[in-house]
Amino acid sequence: MGDMEDKILDTILRSEIDSLAVDLADFYDQDIYDIPDPGVLIEKNELGLLGGPEVPQLFTNSQRWRSMSLRSRARLLWLHLRAYLHDIVEKEKRAELRVARMTHGLEPLRRLEVETGLCSVAQDPVGERFMVLDGDGYLHQHTKDGWEQAKLKPPVVLNGLATVSGPLGELGRFVGWGPAGLSILGEDFHLLWLSQPRVRKSPDQEPFCCLPVPTLGLLIVAQMGGSLELWKFRSGGRRLVPCGSPLQPPPSLAGSLKCLALGLDSDHCSWHCFAAYGSAVLTFDLDDWALINVSQDLHKTIISDLDYCEEISAMVTASRDSTVKVWEADWQIRMVFVGHTGPVTAMMVLPNSTLAVSASQDGTIRTWDLQAEAQVGEVTLDYWTEGIISEKVSRLLAPASPGWPVLSLCSKSIGLWRVRTLYSPLAQLSAPVLHIQVAPVLPAPTEPSLPARLVCACADGSVYLVSATTGRTVSSLLLEPEDCAAGVVYCLSREALWVLTRSGHLVRANAARCPMVVVHRLRPPLPPAPQPCCLHLYSHLTDPRSAFACWEMMRENQGDMIRSAIAWAWKNKNRFLPVMGHSDGTLSVLDWRTSTTIFVTEAHSPGPVTAIGSTWNSIVTSGADLTVKMWRVFPYAEECLSLLRTFSCCHPVVMLCVLGKRITVGFEDPESATYGLVQFGLGDKMRCDHRPQDDPMDHITGLCCCPTLKIYACSSLDCTIRIWTRENLLLRLLQLDGPPQALAFSSNNGDLVFSLGARLYTVSYKTYLPTSYLVKKLCLKTTDVVNDPPLPLTSKKPLTSSQLQRLASLHGAASLSVALPFGYYKTPILQQPVLKEDLEDIIARDQDLQELRQGLVVPAARPPLSPKQRDEAFDNYLHLIYGSELMMDGSSERESSQWGTAAPSTEKEPPDMADMEIQPGTAAGVGQAALSIDIQAASAPSAPQTPRAPGRRFARPPRVSLPIPPTHRKVHSQASQLLARSSLSYELGLGLDLQVQWDQFGVKTTDLDKSIDYMKNRVPLLLPRRPAEPLSKLTGFFPATVKPYKAHQVSWLCAQLRGTAANVVASRGQLSWFPGRTWFPEQIQVLWKRRRQVVKAPEAFFCQVAN
């Protein structure tokens, strides 16, 4: 029976789905995205914005749905979800790929109408809401995005409302004022405190503005008559008490009190209150509650608003004379912003930034950068009113917290403006940037990763290498202004830079030094010979590891091509070909060392070559003959170019870029105002076009591509950057605050870098890429960030004053952090609460340190060490320096076997004394014992390695990391120098112990271990020095480097004892004090146990042990 009911129910539901599927399909197929979102501005000629589409009727509103049971409804909803979920997801993906215009700065979010009139607005960041007080005395609660949540009646009649932040606002969240006086309201607007009514209250004593100071627990109240009152919060913010008497403005001032602002004094020690009174500003000290300064005639007319910028310690004022002025701490004028064509009615400074926003009766809201001293943004107030400006902005409220909008208050409306950060500053250069290129060429290698650099050519003739991650200038080429670059290319792995000047000179510079050194300069031929007009670098990078090693060698040798080429040219398979286009249409390939022409071919004739681009195996050129040609490149051949295909254009090509088998060209015809992009391909589809309204509206200044994401980007003087898909469809339209002069992709992720004047800005890929591209990016292997610090100044010639001024004007992203644009806020660092016992420990520690500084506490003297402790310390010292081979416990063989076959083994039987060679002549001539050690080890020699080549590994790793003492300092004794040259030599593998004898006695020493490859090419670590005194006069204990042999346990006695002149030879278990004397292991054991007596009387001790 149950199965029969389910079948009947399925039949009914299927019929319901068939009848309602049309309604659901119509609902999802209708283009609901034609309604413009406030944060995304669609082009006006793309969509009709006269009226929104009709909202379709949902199937849940039908009578049949209401008559269904709950089980039938659930079953129906599940079937709908299963049937249409995939279609909904695909439609969302397609909607995300629609053309979206993204602006930087303020963009309209929403407009709220207040029919009864607007009295006051209070922002509550803790509750993520803002309260609107209307003309009827009602409070409207809205979310931070503007959606209304509730409407309520306050407990008392209010004329205004302000928010109390910080700990004081936990109980009394709001402060209100009205006919009943001051009041404190809780979070849910219940009345906590109400001031007592005044006797004989005059209209001049009516409050019209309140400014809370939560850090000091104060409240400043401005009255209608112009006087100021100071109140103090008590009982944790539950009530207010008057603090001091009211302060009156000077009677000589004309005007009325307009607004209040808080600011710091010149020493940043105390808070001041600034009040705009007519055309003057009054300064009140909050600590003493007194009027301390009156600055008059700051503007020609009334000051409408003022605010304090903490980042630059300056006061900003706005006036009805249509100007915005910035003042120093002593009220000296710093700058004046002129741009508004009407009276400025409101102004505010964005928190933790140097940006000021002003509203004017000319219908605009403008943004001013106080650091750059320029206007950086402008929006119109007629967005919601279709070109009709009905009312002026009376006040601007700054965002109360990150993510909050800017509020513009009018008489009957509130405008919400989203603060969008589209790009951020990267670097500040000395002059406007004309060209930007990225090195290495994208796609950048991932293993190993090379540092990403930007090559920036400026209008003053300078060329800078800027780190793409930090914005710091790595190196610079300081040419003269007449050498302004028409083209610039840079080879990172070989630190070579070419600059083609506008006069036709080709400059080759060494980029491994700072400033760069000009290697040679080639002058152009005299007219009527063809002149060079464009420059490009073709990169054939097949071995990233070799390129990285070559870059390291060039950096180490400071760009010395001769020494670097000898070391790496024989195994470097990468090729870099500078390609130059000429005015007669010819194409020439240059040698990267000498910049001489090695191959010439005719490309575009008649007319010059206008643009050159390349991909991994081809070069694309365009010319004045209205053609685009693709050339096959043979990088290892002399005739390296071969023509593949030719495309025809209708207009001259100014820029091009290549992505795989697709060529995107930018053409323009200024006479007909034609600007556009066309894409050519080698596959089935020879040409891809887009809608005409998507083309740029002005001169194209940049064109680049990201091979990993397969997207294009172009910049134009119409203040836009357009992002294009691989199919030449417009994806994003980025609206900038100024015309970009150059553009480039800086990484495989899709980060963009462009220039506005002399400043570089970066656009993160997360800002503009759709979700589908972000998912694609997650599947890619990310490149490691390589530290690329600035090169030190190595110029032998003194720099001129102009060059020094250029270098002083360079700034990276870190120094420009205070001038970050919209949406930048300093996030507070969360700190853990300090416990009482921890605070007591800190106070006690500080007291101890203070007593030590004053000399009140003298450290206790150490007790003398016992003989047993001295012996243990001595044994530990030897074990730390030499390891456990000195200990006669038979563990040396076991330990040495752990290091592999590189550690030699000892022989038990002593060799014949005839194999030992003693050089008495050398010892007699010098008067000191000489040590000669000959160890025979049978092991296969390893492959030699280049000295100081990367990737070298020791056959026997060091046991401890020993620091190398700076022996060049004179404060070290001769004993410590000898100890450093002997004890550390074995651990470092550099053979410094033998160099002591080589430098002093000239004795030819033998190799300690022939099986270790790095010992064959020893590089001296310390400078060669000769001791001022012979070794026989040195006092103390100086251990020498030993190997893991039992015979080496007594090598510390060799040539280190006082007053000895004998020959000591230690090898394979034998010790020879006098010629012909053989020492057996039992005698060596006695020497080791009684080693301290040797230093006192060595000759007597040896004779006693020998007998």
Side-chain angles (χ1 to χ4, degrees):
M1 190 68 180
D3 296 340
M4 182 65 94
E5 291 180 356
D6 292 340
K7 291 181 179 179
I8 296 174
L9 181 61
D10 290 341
T11 304
I12 296 175
L13 291 178
R14 292 184 184 277
S15 61
E16 294 287 345
I17 291 176
D18 294 338
S19 60
L20 298 177
V22 178
D23 299 336
L24 186 64
D26 294 340
F27 172 72
Y28 284 113
D29 288 338
Q30 188 169 358
D31 199 352
I32 62 175
Y33 302 96
D34 289 349
I35 303 177
D37 184 78
V40 180
L41 303 180
I42 309 300
E43 296 190 58
K44 295 182 180 180
N45 54 0
E46 179 182 355
L47 300 174
L49 304 180
L50 298 179
E54 297 182 0
V55 180
Q57 296 293 330
L58 299 177
F59 63 89
T60 55
N61 298 331
S62 62
Q63 185 66 28
R64 188 178 302 176
W65 170 266
R66 297 174 183 174
S67 61
M68 287 184 180
S69 63
L70 294 179
R71 183 181 178 184
S72 302
R73 292 182 181 180
R75 189 72 175 269
L76 180 61
L77 290 175
W78 166 247
L79 292 177
H80 277 303
L81 181 63
R82 186 179 64 181
Y84 296 101
L85 179 61
H86 180 268
D87 297 338
I88 295 172
V89 172
E90 293 298 326
K91 186 173 181 62
E92 290 290 338
K93 290 181 180 179
R94 293 193 301 269
E96 194 180 18
L97 294 178
R98 291 179 62 91
V99 181
R101 183 190 300 239
M102 308 175 69
T103 60
H104 176 78
L106 296 180
E107 58 183 18
L109 176 62
R110 192 165 289 105
R111 187 171 186 238
L112 307 178
E113 298 289 345
V114 184
E115 297 180 356
T116 58
L118 178 63
C119 292
S120 179
V121 175
Q123 302 180 88
D124 182 15
V126 178
E128 295 186 351
R129 59 181 178 174
F130 66 90
M131 307 302 300
V132 178
L133 180 64
D134 62 6
D136 292 342
Y138 285 91
L139 291 174
H140 302 264
Q141 180 175 326
H142 296 260
T143 63
K144 65 179 182 180
D145 294 332
W147 301 107
E148 186 172 2
Q149 292 179 324
K151 179 181 179 180
L152 50 94
K153 185 73 174 179
V156 293
V157 179
L158 299 177
N159 293 335
L161 193 68
T163 305
V164 181
S165 59
L168 292 176
E170 294 180 0
L171 296 176
R173 185 67 55 83
F174 301 96
V175 172
W177 60 92
L182 298 178
S183 60
I184 298 179
L185 306 178
E187 181 181 0
D188 54 352
F189 293 96
H190 64 278
L191 184 62
L192 294 178
W193 176 84
L194 182 64
S195 63
Q196 297 181 359
R198 296 184 179 182
V199 181
R200 298 178 181 179
K201 181 179 179 181
S202 63
D204 292 341
Q205 295 179 344
E206 185 77 19
F208 80 96
C209 177
C210 290
L211 180 61
V213 190
T215 56
L216 302 179
L218 301 175
L219 177 68
I220 305 173
V221 179
Q223 299 178 356
M224 298 296 295
S227 61
L228 293 182
E229 288 185 340
L230 185 64
W231 296 72
K232 191 172 184 61
F233 288 94
R234 295 293 188 185
S235 303
R238 293 183 179 91
R239 63 189 182 93
L240 288 168
V241 295
C243 183
S245 59
L247 298 181
Q248 300 290 338
S252 59
L253 292 180
S256 60
L257 188 62
K258 287 293 183 181
C259 56
L260 302 176
L262 288 177
L264 294 171
D265 59 354
S266 58
D267 298 332
H268 294 78
C269 298
S270 60
W271 287 93
H272 289 172
C273 175
F274 301 93
Y277 199 95
S279 61
V281 174
L282 310 180
T283 305
F284 299 90
D285 189 355
L286 298 183
D287 295 335
D288 301 333
W289 189 232
L291 177 63
I292 59 176
N293 185 36
V294 177
S295 301
Q296 302 184 28
D297 300 331
L298 299 181
H299 286 267
K300 296 180 179 180
T301 57
I302 299 174
I303 297 177
S304 56
D305 208 342
L306 79 165
D307 202 354
Y308 181 77
C309 181
E310 189 175 354
E311 297 296 335
I312 62 174
S313 301
M315 179 61 67
V316 186
T317 60
S319 172
R320 298 186 63 85
D321 59 1
S322 71
T323 63
V324 176
K325 296 184 179 182
V326 183
W327 305 90
E328 299 283 356
D330 56 354
W331 293 102
Q332 296 296 323
I333 189 68
R334 177 184 289 190
M335 66 189 77
V336 180
F337 293 109
V338 178
H340 285 293
T341 58
V344 181
T345 57
M347 188 273 304
M348 62 90 182
V349 177
L350 289 178
N352 300 316
S353 71
T354 59
L355 299 175
V357 181
S358 61
S360 173
Q361 290 185 6
D362 59 1
T364 62
I365 296 180
R366 301 174 188 251
T367 307
W368 316 90
D369 192 340
L370 308 182
Q371 188 81 13
E373 302 179 2
Q375 178 181 335
V376 295
E378 179 182 350
V379 291
T380 58
L381 294 170
D382 58 354
Y383 175 78
W384 297 288
T385 57
E386 298 181 0
I388 301 175
I389 303 176
S390 57
E391 49 188 356
K392 66 177 183 178
V393 176
S394 60
R395 190 180 178 189
L396 288 173
L397 295 182
S401 182
W404 279 62
V406 174
L407 304 182
S408 60
L409 309 184
C410 300
S411 59
K412 290 187 177 182
S413 64
I414 302 175
L416 279 71
W417 305 85
R418 178 185 286 129
V419 181
R420 181 188 291 273
T421 304
L422 188 58
Y423 51 85
S424 58
L426 179 64
Q428 174 75 36
L429 302 182
S430 61
V433 182
L434 304 180
H435 305 279
I436 297 179
Q437 290 185 0
V438 63
V441 181
L442 300 182
T446 57
E447 291 185 0
S449 299
L450 291 170
R453 293 180 179 177
L454 301 173
V455 188
C456 305
C458 299
D460 60 351
S462 304
V463 179
Y464 300 100
L465 297 181
V466 180
S467 174
T469 56
T470 62
R472 294 182 296 179
T473 303
V474 180
S475 183
S476 57
L477 178 62
L478 304 177
L479 299 178
E480 298 301 327
E482 55 268 15
D483 292 330
C484 185
V488 57
V489 294
Y490 171 59
C491 180
L492 175 63
S493 62
R494 298 182 181 178
E495 291 291 354
L497 182 83
W498 290 268
V499 178
L500 179 62
T501 65
R502 293 181 178 178
S503 58
H505 293 253
L506 182 62
V507 180
R508 164 73 160 81
N510 178 13
R513 297 185 180 183
C514 183
M516 303 183 197
V517 179
V518 176
V519 179
H520 55 256
R521 176 191 289 260
L522 300 182
R523 300 181 181 275
L526 297 177
Q531 304 293 316
C533 54
C534 56
L535 185 65
H536 181 77
L537 180 67
Y538 168 76
S539 299
H540 184 70
L541 187 62
T542 60
D543 188 2
R545 296 186 180 275
S546 177
F548 182 79
C550 182
W551 174 71
E552 285 189 332
M553 290 292 294
M554 296 294 290
R555 287 289 298 268
E556 183 179 358
N557 296 328
Q558 294 186 353
D560 190 350
M561 295 186 300
I562 299 177
R563 290 189 295 174
S564 303
I566 293 175
W568 295 99
W570 62 275
K571 59 180 180 180
N572 191 0
K573 299 181 181 179
N574 303 318
R575 293 293 182 269
F576 303 96
L577 305 178
V579 182
M580 182 183 296
H582 299 270
S583 57
D584 60 346
T586 59
L587 207 62
S588 61
V589 180
L590 309 179
D591 181 73
W592 76 275
R593 291 187 181 88
T594 61
S595 301
T596 57
T597 302
I598 59 177
F599 178 73
V600 180
T601 182
E602 293 184 359
H604 304 273
S605 181
V609 179
T610 57
I612 306 176
S614 65
T615 181
W616 67 278
N617 64 347
S618 61
I619 289 179
V620 180
T621 61
S622 62
D625 57 350
L626 303 182
T627 60
V628 176
K629 296 185 178 182
M630 176 175 285
W631 306 79
R632 178 64 184 271
V633 183
F634 302 93
Y636 302 100
E638 183 177 356
E639 297 183 0
C640 52
L641 297 181
S642 177
L643 183 62
L644 286 180
R645 183 163 297 184
T646 302
F647 305 92
S648 299
C649 302
C650 299
H651 301 281
V653 176
V654 293
M655 289 188 179
L656 57 85
C657 65
V658 187
L659 180 59
K661 296 182 179 180
R662 297 175 180 267
I663 307 170
T664 301
V665 298
F667 61 88
E668 60 183 35
D669 186 9
E671 296 181 357
S672 60
T674 303
Y675 308 94
L677 298 179
V678 175
Q679 188 179 100
F680 299 100
L682 300 180
D684 299 334
K685 196 172 183 179
M686 298 292 297
R687 177 166 174 166
C688 297
D689 292 301
H690 50 259
R691 301 179 305 174
Q693 59 265 32
D694 294 339
D695 282 324
M697 306 299 293
D698 206 336
H699 171 65
I700 301 174
T701 58
L703 180 62
C704 56
C705 64
C706 182
T708 54
L709 299 178
K710 296 180 175 55
I711 56 177
Y712 297 90
C714 71
S715 59
S716 174
L717 292 181
D718 59 357
C719 303
T720 61
I721 294 179
R722 286 170 165 82
I723 311 298
W724 308 84
T725 64
R726 187 182 181 184
E727 293 76 17
N728 199 19
L729 299 177
L730 184 61
L731 181 63
R732 292 290 184 267
L733 181 65
L734 311 182
Q735 188 72 41
L736 310 179
D737 292 333
Q741 298 294 334
L743 178 70
F745 280 103
S746 61
S747 65
N748 295 337
N749 299 332
D751 298 328
L752 280 169
V753 175
F754 65 93
S755 63
L756 288 179
R759 182 169 291 190
L760 297 180
Y761 292 91
T762 177
V763 182
S764 176
Y765 68 93
K766 301 177 183 178
T767 307
Y768 67 92
L769 283 181
T771 306
S772 58
Y773 284 88
L774 295 177
V775 173
K776 184 187 300 184
K777 185 263 172 187
L778 292 177
C779 302
L780 301 176
K781 188 173 183 179
T782 58
T783 57
D784 298 332
V785 178
V786 181
N787 185 22
D788 195 15
L791 296 178
L793 290 176
T794 58
S795 177
K796 297 181 180 180
K797 298 181 180 180
L799 300 178
T800 62
S801 59
S802 61
Q803 293 176 345
L804 292 175
Q805 186 177 2
R806 294 188 205 176
L807 297 178
S809 62
L810 305 178
H811 298 281
S815 60
L816 298 175
S817 60
V818 296
L820 283 177
F822 299 92
Y824 172 76
Y825 294 92
K826 298 178 180 177
T827 56
I829 301 175
L830 299 179
Q831 298 181 356
Q832 297 181 356
V834 180
L835 301 180
K836 184 177 181 181
E837 51 271 16
D838 296 340
L839 189 60
E840 294 177 355
D841 296 339
I842 294 174
I843 295 175
R845 184 200 62 182
D846 293 341
Q847 291 178 355
D848 295 342
L849 293 177
Q850 188 68 19
E851 292 177 356
L852 287 175
R853 293 191 190 98
Q854 297 176 0
L856 302 178
V857 179
V858 179
R862 281 188 177 183
L865 298 178
S866 62
K868 183 178 180 180
Q869 293 177 343
R870 291 179 181 275
D871 292 340
E872 292 180 357
F874 185 79
D875 294 340
N876 293 336
Y877 169 74
L878 292 180
H879 185 274
L880 179 66
I881 298 298
Y882 303 109
S884 59
E885 288 82 1
L886 290 177
M887 310 305 294
M888 298 293 292
D889 55 357
S891 62
S892 60
E893 291 83 3
R894 295 193 303 268
E895 185 176 358
S896 61
S897 62
Q898 297 176 1
W899 302 108
T901 58
S905 60
T906 60
E907 298 181 5
K908 296 182 179 180
E909 297 181 0
D912 192 4
M913 288 300 298
D915 298 334
M916 305 298 297
E917 297 182 2
I918 303 177
Q919 302 177 2
T922 305
V926 180
Q928 176 68 17
L931 175 64
S932 178
I933 303 174
D934 188 8
I935 300 174
Q936 298 178 0
S939 61
S942 60
Q945 294 185 4
T946 304
R948 291 188 285 182
R952 185 186 67 186
R953 296 293 183 269
F954 295 147
R956 180 179 182 271
R959 295 178 178 82
V960 293
S961 56
L962 299 176
I964 303 175
T967 58
H968 61 277
R969 297 182 180 179
K970 296 183 179 181
V971 295
H972 292 275
S973 62
Q974 298 177 358
S976 62
Q977 295 184 19
L978 183 61
L979 176 63
R981 295 169 67 92
S982 60
S983 301
L984 301 179
S985 58
Y986 178 75
E987 300 295 335
L988 298 176
L990 300 176
L992 298 179
D993 51 340
L994 301 182
Q995 287 197 7
V996 176
Q997 300 171 354
W998 178 273
D999 297 339
Q1000 185 168 356
F1001 306 113
V1003 180
K1004 181 179 180 181
T1005 57
T1006 57
D1007 197 354
L1008 290 178
D1009 194 352
K1010 297 182 179 180
S1011 63
I1012 303 177
D1013 53 352
Y1014 62 80
M1015 297 293 288
K1016 297 181 180 181
N1017 299 305
R1018 297 176 180 174
V1019 179
L1021 181 64
L1022 302 177
L1023 297 176
R1025 291 177 177 268
R1026 293 184 179 271
E1029 300 179 2
L1031 296 179
S1032 59
K1033 295 183 179 182
L1034 297 178
T1035 59
F1037 175 75
F1038 312 111
T1041 301
V1042 297
K1043 302 295 283 186
Y1045 303 108
K1046 295 181 180 180
H1048 290 168
Q1049 294 171 359
V1050 295
S1051 61
W1052 56 277
L1053 299 172
C1054 304
Q1056 307 290 340
L1057 304 178
R1058 296 180 299 171
T1060 61
N1063 295 330
V1064 180
V1065 179
S1067 177
R1068 298 185 183 181
Q1070 295 186 3
L1071 176 66
S1072 178
W1073 182 257
F1074 300 102
R1077 179 64 180 178
T1078 303
W1079 296 81
F1080 296 97
E1082 293 80 8
Q1083 296 173 335
I1084 297 176
Q1085 183 73 15
V1086 175
L1087 292 176
W1088 172 251
K1089 292 182 178 180
R1090 304 172 62 184
R1091 56 189 180 275
R1092 291 189 177 277
Q1093 301 179 9
V1094 183
V1095 180
K1096 298 180 180 180
E1099 297 181 1
F1101 179 76
F1102 272 91
C1103 294
Q1104 180 182 359
V1105 175
N1107 296 330

